[in-house]
Amino acid sequence: MRLLHSGQALRRFYSHRSRIGKMATDIRIKASLSASDPQAHPVLIIGQLRHLNLLKFDDLASKLSPRVTEETFLNAIACLHPAPTDKVSLYLDVATVASLPLKASRHNTASRAHAITRLVKNHVLNVSEESVVLVCERENIFASACAVVRAFPLYSRKTGNGAQAKSPTGGSGDGDNSRNVVNVEFVVIDKDGGIESDPLTADEVKCLNETARGIRLTARIVDMPCNEMNVDHFVQAIEEIAQELSLKPQIIRGEELRERGFGGIYGVGKAAAVPPALVVLSHQPKGAQETIALVGKGIVYDTGGLSIKGKTAMPGMKRDCGGAAAILGAFYAAVKCGFKDNLHAVFCLAENSVGPNATRPDDIHTLYSGRTVEINNTDAEGRLVLADGVCFANKDLKANIILDMATLTGAQGVATGKYHGAILTNSETWEAKSLQAGRKSGDLLAPIIYCPELHFSEFASAIADMKNSVADRQNAQSSCAGIFVAAHLGFDYHGVWMHVDMATPVHCGERATGYGVALLLTLFGSHTHSALLQSIAPTEEEPPSKRLCRD
């Protein structure tokens, strides 16, 4: 870290302002660089060193003048030595340039999205208005913008911070003068190493802003504790989004779930004070060619049920609704970006609680598939609600592409780590597409084994069709959990089924990341009217090894 100018008085001024009740932040993504004085509106410039070296002072003069000279700017760029990142202060602490890691491996995103998020978290000043300028190639605009958005969570209950939103969906707050504003702006590097002069199109700006709203909505729901985000509150959040999109949700709740055969959702949630629910949002435009269903695990709190978690394992279980939250954010943004095909969002909502009516180990439930499940672990509840959800997507919604997303297993973090969700699918082509989408969006994925003929035997039961938890916890536990869900869809399902386990990437430290929104928008980008999403959508290229599965 280097400081090319001194000025303790101004630093103290900004430090003082940032301590006076840290306010909620609005994010405004702009089409081009706006003129601003860094002394009034601080600026953080982020890019790869090879891109920063291509810049001339005139390319950024509108953000730096009159406080920074061309000589200072060029000296600062020359001083950058990322290992893996570095920053140089151009003028006090209010104009800063930061470089991203030099290398990104084949399993990382070329955008260096996680490094962008860390730099923004560490170096923005949280004043009334400031700018983040991203210097990147066009293909990394989407992931880079999403990375900035993840640095500004909405939810807080710290007193005096102005972040008390009135609704679970946490509206944008535009026009509220009590909120901080971060302007996200771009300098786009073309393939020839030049600077693109054209601003982002209105379509691109709209896509980025709607995606930002979806990510922050998702993170807000995941961050909210169960006393503020129980099943009732989650249903309210869905209803508010439905109203914005001029849709009417289908809601099946409480005893109606039992009557209609949703034994998984009902069995998991029946002990809670607030009854469980299956909620469906449907976007069905004219001319649709395919039907896609997104199924989300929405366990608003997971005590483990009667197989109760320990005192150190239970804190943080408010995040067990992360899959459903991501699908709500992605569904909202996808519809706003003009989704061309049928798109259904299926929310499997329940609180896995303890009480006189709780499911017991040894109980047997009949799920929506008609198959019976012997419960040998009430803490393996997510797969039960998802099984009902994917079966509903197949039987009732007639979806030919089904993706379920869930904070399903702690073993996911062991298998694929803190940054990569796990993808399990019956389609090698869509596995390759998912991995591409992860790298393009910054919501990274890694494949796990799909092999039901070897793994489904882990659920063998002497008295029911299957148990709900594996016999051997050392045998590909995350894959087995997903296989359980697929068993209720049917291993002979002729459509595409994808399962995303994102138990660990759903949060970073104590804050939610909004993981999943950017991934889903990118994965299905070709199904939208958005030129930006279409440009980063996975291609139809053959997977590395295309194998036929013979009977």
Side-chain angles (χ1 to χ4, degrees):
M1 185 186 300
R2 302 167 185 84
L3 188 64
L4 301 185
H5 291 276
S6 61
Q8 294 181 348
L10 193 57
R11 286 201 302 276
R12 283 198 300 268
F13 169 71
Y14 277 109
S15 176
H16 173 66
R17 291 183 65 182
S18 66
R19 287 196 302 265
I20 302 175
K22 183 178 177 182
M23 296 181 289
T25 301
D26 286 338
I27 297 175
R28 297 173 183 171
I29 297 172
K30 296 191 171 183
S32 59
L33 293 186
S34 58
S36 59
D37 180 347
Q39 185 162 306
H41 296 145
V43 60
L44 172 63
I45 301 162
I46 300 175
Q48 295 179 44
L49 187 57
R50 63 191 179 95
H51 293 152
L52 295 174
N53 280 321
L54 296 172
L55 298 178
K56 298 177 181 178
F57 178 71
D58 289 344
D59 297 324
L60 291 167
S62 62
K63 305 301 297 184
L64 299 176
S65 295
R67 309 298 168 184
V68 180
T69 65
E70 181 174 6
E71 179 184 7
T72 299
F73 174 76
L74 295 176
N75 286 340
I77 299 297
C79 286
L80 287 168
H81 295 288
T85 62
D86 193 17
K87 84 173 185 80
V88 173
S89 296
L90 301 170
Y91 179 74
L92 307 178
D93 283 343
V94 298
T96 303
V97 60
S99 57
L100 295 169
L102 294 174
K103 296 182 179 180
S105 71
R106 62 191 176 91
H107 287 139
N108 196 3
T109 167
S111 66
R112 284 79 162 161
H114 297 86
I116 292 174
T117 303
R118 284 193 293 269
L119 285 168
V120 173
K121 283 182 177 179
N122 290 336
H123 300 305
V124 295
L125 296 176
N126 297 304
V127 295
S128 59
E129 185 169 0
E130 56 192 313
S131 297
V132 175
V133 176
L134 297 166
V135 182
C136 64
E137 296 175 350
R138 181 162 290 276
E139 66 178 12
N140 291 326
I141 286 175
F142 183 80
S144 299
C146 293
V148 174
V149 171
R150 295 185 190 102
F152 298 98
L154 280 170
Y155 180 78
S156 176
R157 280 294 175 261
K158 292 189 176 183
T159 55
N161 64 6
Q164 312 292 331
K166 296 181 180 179
S167 76
T169 57
S172 64
D174 290 345
D176 183 351
N177 293 329
S178 69
R179 295 165 70 98
N180 295 339
V181 174
V182 171
N183 299 308
V184 182
E185 302 169 357
F186 292 89
V187 175
V188 181
I189 308 295
D190 63 28
K191 295 297 184 182
D192 298 322
I195 309 299
E196 291 190 14
S197 57
D198 294 335
L200 301 187
T201 66
D203 172 79
E204 290 171 329
V205 173
K206 177 186 176 183
C207 174
L208 292 173
N209 278 308
E210 298 296 3
T211 301
R213 169 91 194 277
I215 291 171
R216 302 186 85 196
L217 161 65
T218 294
R220 180 178 181 81
I221 290 173
V222 174
D223 273 338
M224 294 178 78
C226 190
N227 63 317
E228 297 182 27
M229 184 49 65
N230 61 28
V231 174
D232 281 343
H233 299 121
F234 208 122
V235 172
Q236 179 192 345
I238 296 169
E239 289 174 330
E240 290 180 7
I241 292 299
Q243 186 174 10
E244 283 192 48
L245 300 176
S246 300
L247 300 174
K248 185 175 181 180
Q250 177 184 358
I251 303 174
I252 306 170
R253 291 211 70 175
E255 291 302 313
E256 187 182 357
L257 287 168
R258 180 185 59 79
E259 293 164 3
R260 293 183 60 170
F262 293 97
I265 300 173
Y266 179 78
V268 170
K270 64 189 176 79
V274 181
L278 178 76
V279 185
V280 184
L281 288 179
S282 296
H283 167 73
Q284 297 172 292
K286 292 181 180 179
Q289 300 296 311
E290 290 189 292
T291 299
I292 298 166
L294 308 175
V295 182
K297 173 189 172 183
I299 302 299
V300 294
Y301 201 81
D302 182 17
T303 65
L306 292 181
S307 305
I308 197 163
K309 296 178 183 289
K311 65 179 181 180
T312 59
M314 203 182 300
M317 285 300 108
K318 64 179 182 178
R319 304 187 189 107
D320 216 14
C321 63
I327 283 170
L328 181 60
F331 181 89
Y332 163 83
V335 175
K336 284 288 190 179
C337 291
F339 206 83
K340 296 184 289 188
D341 288 312
N342 294 328
L343 182 65
H344 302 282
V346 182
F347 304 94
C348 307
L349 307 176
E351 179 183 348
N352 189 20
S353 192
V354 175
N357 203 30
T359 289
R360 296 164 290 258
D362 295 337
D363 283 358
I364 295 177
H365 294 315
T366 303
L367 273 56
Y368 195 60
S369 63
R371 305 191 75 179
T372 55
V373 178
E374 179 187 358
I375 306 301
N376 61 336
N377 180 4
T378 65
D379 196 20
E381 85 297 332
R383 63 200 68 182
L384 297 170
V385 303
L386 285 178
D388 278 354
V390 298
C391 190
F392 179 85
N394 180 29
K395 290 167 62 174
D396 294 65
L397 303 177
K398 310 301 181 186
N400 62 299
I401 299 175
I402 298 174
L403 181 147
D404 70 74
M405 181 172 281
T407 51
L408 202 63
T409 64
Q412 174 271 310
V414 177
T416 63
K418 294 192 296 184
Y419 303 105
H420 295 69
I423 175 70
L424 177 74
T425 174
N426 65 352
S427 168
E428 193 171 11
T429 298
W430 278 88
E431 179 183 282
K433 285 185 176 184
S434 299
L435 299 180
Q436 282 186 58
R439 291 190 293 269
K440 291 287 188 180
S441 67
D443 284 344
L444 296 169
L445 284 175
I448 55 175
I449 299 165
Y450 176 81
C451 197
E453 63 270 28
L454 296 182
H455 287 151
F456 187 57
S457 59
E458 288 289 345
F459 298 103
S461 168
I463 56 175
D465 292 329
M466 66 193 78
K467 293 182 179 179
N468 75 314
S469 190
V470 293
D472 183 359
R473 295 178 66 85
Q474 303 301 312
N475 184 19
Q477 198 176 149
S478 292
S479 288
C480 289
I483 291 297
F484 178 95
V485 177
H488 292 268
L489 185 61
F491 296 128
D492 58 350
Y493 173 64
H494 294 297
V496 174
W497 169 73
M498 290 172 278
H499 164 73
V500 176
D501 190 342
M502 31 77 88
T504 308
V506 74
H507 71 103
C508 179
E510 294 189 8
R511 298 310 300 244
T513 58
Y515 181 96
V517 176
L519 172 66
L520 294 175
L521 290 172
T522 305
L523 181 59
F524 298 110
S526 60
H527 297 265
T528 73
H529 288 292
S530 168
L532 177 58
L533 293 178
Q534 289 177 4
S535 70
I536 60 174
T539 61
E540 294 290 343
E541 66 185 24
E542 290 287 308
S545 58
K546 188 174 179 65
R547 301 182 181 89
L548 295 177
C549 181
R550 294 183 174 86
D551 294 332

